Amino acid sequence: MLTKLPSTFSRNKTKLTRNVLKHAKNLVVIGCFCIGTNQVDLEFAADQGVAVFNSPFSNSRSVAEMTIAEIITLSRQMGDRSIELHNGIWNKVSARCWEIRGKTLGIIGYGHIGSQLSVLAEAFGMNVLYYDILMIMALGTAKQVSTLEELLNKSDFVSLHVPETPETKMMFGTPQFAAMKDGSYLINNSRGSVVDIPALIDALKLGKLAGAAIDVYPQEPAKNGPFFNNQLNTWTSELQSLKNIILTPHIGGSTEEAQSAIGIEVGTALTSYINEGISTGAVNFPEVSLRGLDLDQDNAVRVLYIHQNVPGVLKTVNNILSDHNIEKQFSDSRGDVAYLMADISGVTSEDIKSLYEELNATQYKIAVRLLY
């Protein structure tokens, strides 16, 4: 049961809703062993004093490499040729098969994955354009464009690498497909909510697009097996019937290297937060850090005080701490939640007990931990 754990672990399909979290009375921290955190009620977790960590870097290379593989596979129609040959059909053709050298790749979302993809694509001789809501310095000779329409007008391949937010939901539909070059390709290795699949099907049937690669879907099976069908998404069989379309089961980050790196990255963050109170990298929580605790120092305690972000709290807390030597202290806030870390020296076991009781009794306290 969650109520007996100081931390819990989440993957893409593990839903930590408000109803689940409110029963996890002793929960301190959540680790999401993936990039996405939409499976966790982040705001409610923060209000309960529960920090959430994810792995924003570890599978970036895996997704970028798969995208490059899909670009080459689509441009050479290798998926269709492979299926044909598995069925005994020899179909050696070169019509509408292209080298990717000299073609233009448009990247939507120039974050960890998008920027990695940019470097790989240039190594293959591609020209790279990217669109992002932020101004981001380009790697290599890539160029940022000011509008999504400009990117769509100029790109032979368009690859999506955006998070799931209200702004990105169904951001790619009929108007966007209409703005793309005739005979271009779409790749979505981001989130299933980003692309209007029926509109994509229409664009492929009309010949507007020459192909597509899809790794994520609005509704995905909860487990492996023969579950990707029309009962899951009404358009599934129609999508499966199309030519030159690569369908993969959300495996963009599924490599041995990525899974190992994710475990190390999230595990390190959880350990640092539990053992030292360091919240750097938390996705829902104030990011606070102090230099490491001195394990050789006696009669010292680290105070971790999570509280509502209202005026007067720090004055109350510092009055409680004022009888002791505060060696270092740092506080930050994020929305309605604030987090204070303070290292106190010259304390006895009785002092530690008294500090805990007094801090716990304060009006706007969310959670208190003392490390010693």
Side-chain angles (χ1 to χ4, degrees), residues 26-338:
N26 298 326
L27 188 62
V28 172
V29 62
I30 295 170
C32 297
F33 286 77
C34 47
I35 293 178
T37 55
N38 54 298
Q39 69 273 33
V40 180
D41 190 327
L42 297 177
E43 184 177 349
F44 186 77
D47 290 342
Q48 300 297 108
V50 178
V52 179
F53 295 89
N54 68 337
S55 180
F57 308 106
S58 296
N59 67 3
S60 300
R61 183 70 177 197
S62 297
V63 178
E65 286 188 5
M66 190 174 90
T67 303
I68 285 291
E70 289 169 333
I71 289 171
I72 295 172
T73 299
L74 289 172
S75 67
R76 298 292 299 275
Q77 299 181 24
M78 290 167 61
D80 288 355
R81 299 296 87 78
S82 177
I83 291 171
E84 289 163 355
L85 208 53
H86 273 282
N87 291 321
I89 299 171
W90 185 272
N91 186 21
K92 183 178 179 179
V93 295
S94 58
R96 294 183 295 281
C97 294
W98 318 95
E99 294 181 358
I100 68 169
R101 178 181 54 175
K103 305 302 187 296
T104 298
L105 169 62
I107 301 172
I108 302 174
Y110 203 69
H112 306 306
I113 297 171
S115 56
Q116 285 264 330
L117 174 60
S118 172
V119 173
L120 292 176
E122 283 199 12
F124 278 88
M126 301 188 80
N127 305 309
V128 178
L129 304 176
Y130 65 94
Y131 172 77
D132 199 290
I133 58 174
L134 301 175
M135 291 296 295
I136 301 176
M137 186 177 72
L139 299 180
T141 60
K143 294 181 176 62
Q144 184 168 9
V145 296
S146 57
T147 66
L148 177 60
E149 185 176 16
E150 181 181 356
L151 180 140
L152 299 178
N153 290 165
K154 295 180 177 179
S155 300
D156 300 296
F157 297 85
V158 174
S159 190
L160 297 164
H161 301 283
V162 297
E164 183 175 68
T165 67
E167 291 73 28
T168 63
K169 186 173 183 178
M170 294 299 230
M171 70 172 287
F172 224 89
T174 300
Q176 288 70 39
F177 291 122
M180 292 176 67
K181 292 174 66 173
D182 291 345
S184 57
Y185 305 82
L186 177 75
I187 299 165
N188 183 22
N189 292 329
S190 60
R191 286 290 178 255
S193 62
V194 173
V195 174
D196 181 346
I197 299 292
L200 170 63
I201 292 171
D202 288 342
L204 289 163
K205 283 186 170 181
L206 292 170
K208 175 66 178 181
L209 299 188
I214 306 295
D215 187 49
V216 288
Y217 310 89
Q219 304 294 329
E220 298 181 354
K223 60 182 180 179
N224 291 344
F227 306 113
F228 191 65
N229 50 44
N230 283 8
Q231 291 181 329
L232 188 70
N233 296 292
T234 57
W235 35 254
T236 301
S237 59
E238 194 172 10
L239 187 69
Q240 293 167 330
S241 70
L242 298 172
K243 294 289 187 181
N244 204 25
I245 182 164
I246 302 168
L247 303 178
T248 50
H250 204 149
I251 57 170
S254 298
T255 62
E256 294 283 354
E257 294 89 346
Q259 296 307 299
S260 174
I262 286 171
I264 293 170
E265 184 178 357
V266 178
T268 300
L270 295 178
T271 302
S272 295
Y273 184 71
I274 292 171
N275 291 344
E276 300 182 69
I278 296 172
S279 60
T280 303
V283 297
N284 70 326
F285 211 69
E287 296 188 69
V288 175
S289 177
L290 289 179
R291 66 179 181 271
L293 291 167
D294 187 350
L295 299 179
D296 296 326
Q297 185 177 359
D298 295 327
N299 303 322
V301 63
R302 172 165 287 184
V303 175
L304 309 176
Y305 182 75
I306 305 166
H307 59 91
Q308 296 175 37
N309 185 24
V310 296
V313 175
L314 291 184
K315 179 180 178 181
T316 301
V317 172
N318 283 323
N319 283 338
I320 294 172
L321 304 179
S322 61
D323 290 336
H324 308 281
N325 181 35
I326 303 175
E327 292 196 342
K328 49 187 181 290
Q329 185 181 57
F330 185 62
S331 177
D332 199 4
S333 62
R334 179 170 177 170
D336 296 330
V337 177

